[in-house]
């Protein structure tokens, strides 16, 4: 599957961005601004089942292959968020970037009962700006709008698949294939401190941003950019 792709900037260095569940490539807008200012050509995708990308059968192998089929190999940097990190980590053998950054990777999601998946689908269908602001008081109005647009453009079946086939599965990489920074949210991280220790033991550089929630790049952009010094 060829994913819907957004490219910005004309720098000599390339950065590839992959979002998380029920999101869009535009959730990276503030990070993208910084990368372009620093001389990157930024390429972002909408995962299958999201945004302008096609729907289809959902599996981790399919997400991996979509990235292989859509993104160029040999980028200077790849950056993922949440489940996007899982797909990226499995595509590194083909993408062969110089370095990787994983923003609160969802290498482990606790098992999810069917009722939990139904609640998530209801959130996608019924959420409004007031609810998003209440859940994420540190977000900009632009982030609130993009969140709702992502919900509206996400296939609910992707959430069903995540609950049934990703939650409860160990997707931790065995080792860091390239120099990799894992940025862990101080609040609400799916992998938590135990997962952070696992990554550190497997050769990842691990840093935690205290006070930031799972969407670190929208909760605490200054904290994230400070953490990324030397990596971008």
């Amino acid at each position: 599957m060829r994913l819907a792709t957004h490219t910005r900037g004309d720098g000599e260095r390339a950065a590839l961005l992959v979002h998380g569940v029920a999101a869009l490539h535009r959730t990276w807008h503030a990070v993208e601004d910084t990368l372009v200012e620093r001389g990157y050509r930024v390429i972002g995708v909408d995962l299958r089942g999201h945004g302008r990308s096609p729907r289809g059968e959902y599996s981790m192998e399919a997400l991996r292959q979509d990235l292989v089929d859509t993104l160029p190999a040999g980028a200077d940097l790849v950056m993922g968020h949440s489940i996007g990190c899982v797909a990226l980590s499995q595509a590194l053998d083909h993408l062969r970037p110089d370095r990787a950054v994983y923003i609160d990777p969802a290498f482990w999601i606790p098992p999810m009962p069917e009722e939990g998946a139904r609640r998530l689908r209801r959130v996608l269908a019924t959420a409004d700006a007031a609810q998003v602001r209440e859940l994420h008081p540190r977000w900009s109005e632009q982030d609130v709008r993009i969140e709702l647009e992502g919900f509206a453009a996400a296939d609910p079946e992707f959430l069903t698949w995540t609950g049934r086939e990703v939650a409860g599965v160990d997707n931790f990489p065995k080792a860091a294939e390239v120099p990799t920074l894992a940025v862990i949210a101080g609040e609400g991280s799916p992998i938590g401190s135990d997962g952070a220790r696992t990554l550190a033991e497997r050769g990842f550089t691990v840093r935690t941003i205290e006070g930031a929630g799972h969407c670190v790049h929208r909760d605490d952009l200054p904290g994230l950019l400070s953490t990324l010094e030397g990596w971008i």
Side-chain angles (χ1 to χ4, degrees):
M1 181 182 292
R2 298 285 295 183
L3 301 175
T5 304
H6 162 80
T7 302
R8 180 180 165 207
D10 55 5
E12 295 183 358
R13 296 186 292 173
L16 314 179
L17 306 181
V18 182
H19 64 77
V21 172
L24 300 167
H25 74 268
R26 290 191 292 119
T27 59
W28 293 107
H29 66 94
V31 173
E32 179 184 296
D33 288 345
T34 298
L35 292 174
V36 171
E37 289 171 0
R38 296 193 181 198
Y40 283 90
R41 177 172 57 93
V42 178
I43 303 171
V45 295
D46 291 339
L47 292 172
R48 72 165 54 200
H50 294 75
R52 294 181 294 107
S53 287
R55 279 48 182 154
E57 296 297 322
Y58 298 116
S59 69
M60 198 56 68
E61 173 56 28
L63 266 62
R64 173 201 174 275
Q65 191 62 45
D66 292 345
L67 299 182
V68 169
D69 292 342
T70 303
L71 293 172
D76 298 86
L77 171 71
V78 298
M79 188 179 300
H81 173 241
S82 192
I83 202 169
C85 301
V86 184
L88 268 176
S89 71
Q90 297 186 13
L92 286 187
D93 58 341
H94 174 85
L95 294 178
R96 303 189 305 278
D98 288 346
R99 58 198 177 281
V101 174
Y102 296 151
I103 308 296
D104 212 27
F107 293 133
W108 164 260
I109 301 173
M112 186 184 304
E114 179 58 31
E115 176 54 32
R118 284 196 294 269
R119 283 198 301 270
L120 287 176
R121 292 195 297 271
R122 284 197 296 271
V123 168
L124 256 66
T126 64
D128 60 23
Q131 291 170 313
V132 175
R133 290 191 199 102
E134 182 178 0
L135 286 171
H136 306 286
R138 301 171 70 179
W139 286 17
S140 69
E141 283 302 302
Q142 183 175 2
D143 284 320
V144 172
R145 288 194 302 272
I146 292 172
E147 181 82 341
L148 292 172
E149 290 166 9
F151 286 177
D155 182 0
E157 290 304 311
F158 191 97
L159 290 179
T160 300
W161 165 72
T162 301
R164 289 178 179 172
E165 299 188 34
V166 180
V169 176
D170 182 348
N171 281 303
F172 278 90
K174 300 301 182 185
E177 295 184 43
V178 301
T180 305
L181 170 66
V183 180
I184 310 302
E187 300 178 358
S189 172
I191 67 169
S193 57
D194 288 344
R197 282 192 292 272
T198 296
L199 291 174
E201 291 167 358
R202 296 182 183 185
F204 294 77
T205 300
V206 179
R207 298 173 184 166
T208 299
I209 300 184
E210 300 298 341
H214 179 54
C215 298
V216 178
H217 49 308
R218 292 182 276 177
D219 258 18
D220 187 359
L221 180 66
L224 175 62
L225 295 180
S226 176
T227 301
L228 293 179
E229 285 299 328
W231 288 85
I232 63 174

